[in-house]
Amino acid sequence: MMVVEAYSAEMVRLILSMTFTGSILSGLLFILKPVIKEKLPETFQYYMWFPVVTALLVPVSRIMVIPVSGRSETAVWSTGDLARWIADTASAVSVNPVLTAQNESGQSIRQITCFPSVAVMLFAIWQTGMLMVLGFHLICYLIYVRRLARHNIRADRQEVELLQNLSEGDKGLRLYRNTMVETPVLIGFFRPAVILPDKAYGDVKLRHILLHEMTHRKRQDIFVKWLLIFAGAVHWFNPLVYFVRREMNKACELACDEAVIKGFTVSEMQQYGDTLIEVAADSIRKTPLSIAMFEDKKNLKERLGAIMKHRKYSRRTVTAAGVILVTMVCAVLGVSAMRGIEDGTGGNGYADNFPQPEAQKRIKGIELREALRDYDKKNIAEAYVLLSDMDGEITDAHILIICQEQDPGSEMQSGIRTLAAEELGLDIQNIFVEYMDAESFTSEEDV
């Protein structure tokens, strides 16, 4: 049970660390957006959100290994000090005295009841939410793809040839018409397909539509959309992630438009804008885990404005903006890594992502605690372990045993010390054990 609690606590800390880093970084970008909106290329404004997705999905404090010099030493504590330390910090399981039936003399018998830790409950809630959100999107996607497959019609020869010419021989991209869609759609990651509404498009408009979808294909925007869905599932409790997802979807379309019209004349830009207007005139139906050429009519004005204001940006401007962005990202990730160090060891040892020695010491303590509780389940109500180390090596163990009996026998005391020495690989003289009866322990907790 203790391994589950330790794992749950670590996972909760990890998720909160990622959501904290991603939230800070996305907040800075939202503040920066009005300043750079018309001063930098749309493609740059799209890719600048990628560090946010990375921060939401990659535990920075785990991959940035920063050793901190020093060693962890623990003084020999008295029984009272050890009990107070346990009551304040060590117990990951809630230990509460519960009144049970009375004995023959009429006195109430106290026993210790263990409840699931807060970390276990939080981890269970988070995992349930993540699976529900991810499952919802996947089920909707599978249902949608299955419905589309029933109504797919192979595009005519001219349309397929146009697609092949524009895609420079990319045979992995298929083209269909479908009565179920109302706007051009790119769907599928391993077997991508462009699906057109079953209506007639002029040659110029069809060319613009195919160029738009092919640009999404070349940039792997379907993969990015899957990442955003996954990030939204992992951080379902963080409302800011939904705003990030919406902003990235909008930035993706603006960047795609910019790439398509890069070599267009003013007249061709106007024709491309007419294509957007025609597509937007159709009613829009959201399509799960796909890319529609136009999903939101509210963004039509912004997209048309970006097309007409399109201009070339100097390399110096883009480079300066990139340097600023990288500096900002490094600063936020650096703060996150330092938080990982502080949260993991309190400044004594290594970052929590570094497996030695702090994490190993914690695991050893958990394993020993379980072994002690299993040694005599009838008599041992609870066991607490505090390990001391020097230069990464465990030197001694301080153990507090909460017993149902006030005076455990010498055989039990010897057996506990031997068990602890074997589990830790220490000499028996380095094992220090104190005993306390359950009633005294719970009474001290109440005080």
Side-chain angles (χ1 to χ4, degrees):
M1 181 64 181
M2 289 304 300
V3 173
V4 174
E5 292 167 356
Y7 175 78
S8 300
E10 178 66 12
M11 286 300 299
V12 170
R13 188 200 66 79
L14 203 61
I15 296 299
L16 292 178
S17 174
M18 290 191 296
T19 206
F20 171 81
T21 306
S23 297
I24 294 296
L25 197 53
S26 61
L28 290 174
L29 291 183
F30 276 119
I31 295 172
L32 192 62
K33 180 189 170 184
V35 180
I36 66 173
K37 186 174 182 180
E38 297 181 359
K39 297 179 181 179
L40 290 172
E42 300 294 346
T43 301
F44 179 89
Q45 296 185 50
Y46 172 48
Y47 287 129
M48 75 179 187
W49 289 97
F50 279 52
V52 175
V53 180
T54 303
L56 290 170
L57 296 178
V58 178
V60 179
S61 63
R62 280 295 183 105
I63 61 176
M64 294 182 68
V65 182
I66 306 177
V68 181
S69 61
R71 64 185 185 182
S72 176
E73 297 180 354
T74 305
V76 178
W77 290 358
S78 66
T79 304
D81 293 335
L82 190 59
R84 293 188 191 94
W85 173 79
I86 292 169
D88 292 339
T89 60
S91 179
V93 181
S94 300
V95 181
N96 294 319
V98 178
L99 292 178
T100 59
Q102 294 182 337
N103 57 19
E104 295 179 357
S105 61
Q107 295 178 337
S108 296
I109 303 174
R110 284 176 177 254
Q111 68 179 28
I112 293 179
T113 304
C114 297
F115 299 98
S117 70
V118 175
V120 173
M121 292 187 290
L122 288 177
F123 178 68
I125 294 171
W126 167 79
Q127 196 171 44
T128 302
M130 183 192 71
L131 293 176
M132 288 179 64
V133 173
L134 194 59
F136 172 78
H137 285 285
L138 289 175
I139 290 172
C140 288
Y141 171 73
L142 293 174
I143 293 174
Y144 181 73
V145 169
R146 191 172 181 179
R147 286 180 179 177
L148 284 184
R150 295 175 183 173
H151 297 84
N152 277 341
I153 305 169
R154 195 74 180 179
D156 61 45
R157 184 175 179 180
Q158 280 186 329
E159 293 170 338
V160 173
E161 287 180 354
L162 177 59
L163 177 64
Q164 289 178 350
N165 291 334
L166 294 175
S167 62
E168 300 176 354
D170 183 3
K171 296 181 180 180
L173 189 61
R174 298 164 297 158
L175 183 63
Y176 297 103
R177 285 191 174 274
N178 198 304
T179 56
M180 292 287 293
V181 299
E182 298 170 333
T183 183
V185 171
L186 174 66
I187 194 168
F189 179 66
F190 297 105
R191 299 184 63 195
V194 176
I195 302 177
L196 303 174
D198 193 17
K199 59 178 290 187
Y201 289 106
D203 292 340
V204 174
K205 288 183 172 59
L206 180 60
R207 182 173 179 273
H208 290 161
I209 290 171
L210 295 180
L211 281 173
H212 184 94
E213 303 304 340
M214 280 168 28
T215 303
H216 281 307
R217 155 77 167 160
K218 290 178 181 178
R219 296 188 174 198
Q220 301 296 331
D221 290 333
I222 283 285
F223 176 71
V224 174
K225 193 158 189 173
W226 279 85
L227 278 183
L228 290 174
I229 292 292
F230 184 69
V234 172
H235 301 275
W236 58 266
F237 56 90
N238 185 350
L240 192 59
V241 175
Y242 297 92
F243 289 101
V244 170
R245 207 169 108 196
R246 186 179 67 180
E247 189 64 32
M248 283 196 68
N249 286 332
K250 185 169 67 173
C252 177
E253 293 302 324
L254 291 170
C256 186
D257 290 339
E258 183 182 63
V260 171
I261 66 174
K262 190 174 182 180
F264 281 12
T265 63
V266 175
S267 175
E268 289 173 328
M269 290 181 188
Q270 291 176 342
Q271 291 176 342
Y272 184 79
D274 292 339
T275 302
L276 289 183
I277 293 173
E278 181 175 335
V279 172
D282 299 325
S283 58
I284 306 300
R285 181 187 301 168
K286 288 287 184 180
T287 54
L289 287 171
S290 63
I291 294 179
M293 186 174 181
F294 214 99
E295 293 185 349
D296 191 351
K297 294 180 180 180
K298 294 179 181 180
N299 295 329
L300 176 60
K301 183 177 179 181
E302 183 176 358
R303 290 179 68 179
L304 292 175
I307 292 170
M308 300 315 298
K309 293 177 182 177
H310 175 71
R311 61 187 177 88
K312 292 184 178 180
Y313 296 87
S314 67
R315 183 174 298 180
R316 181 181 299 178
T317 301
V318 177
T319 303
V323 171
I324 295 173
L325 179 62
V326 169
T327 302
M328 183 177 66
V329 170
C330 290
V332 173
L333 298 186
V335 170
S336 175
M338 294 306 298
R339 281 175 57 86
I341 295 173
E342 294 174 0
D343 294 342
T345 64
N348 295 325
Y350 290 81
D352 193 42
N353 58 306
F354 200 66
Q356 296 180 354
E358 199 65 32
Q360 286 190 355
K361 188 176 74 171
R362 189 183 309 155
I363 293 172
K364 281 287 186 181
I366 292 171
E367 292 175 347
L368 176 57
R369 185 177 181 185
E370 284 187 333
L372 291 172
R373 291 166 67 180
D374 292 338
Y375 179 78
D376 188 348
K377 294 183 179 180
K378 292 183 179 180
N379 192 19
I380 299 179
E382 189 55 272
Y384 297 96
V385 177
L386 180 63
L387 303 179
S388 299
D389 69 279
M390 181 176 295
D391 296 331
E393 296 291 333
I394 297 174
T395 56
D396 50 69
H398 300 267
I399 301 170
L400 177 61
I401 302 294
I402 311 300
C403 300
Q404 299 290 358
E405 301 175 2
Q406 187 169 359
D407 296 318
S410 58
E411 183 179 350
M412 175 181 172
Q413 294 183 28
S414 176
I416 286 176
R417 293 187 68 193
T418 302
L419 172 64
E422 291 176 353
E423 287 285 331
L424 299 175
L426 299 176
D427 294 333
I428 198 167
Q429 60 264 26
N430 293 329
I431 306 298
F432 305 95
V433 185
E434 300 286 349
Y435 298 90
M436 183 179 291
D437 64 281
E439 185 173 358
S440 300
F441 179 74
T442 52
S443 298
E444 186 167 341
E445 274 193 325
D446 293 338
V447 174

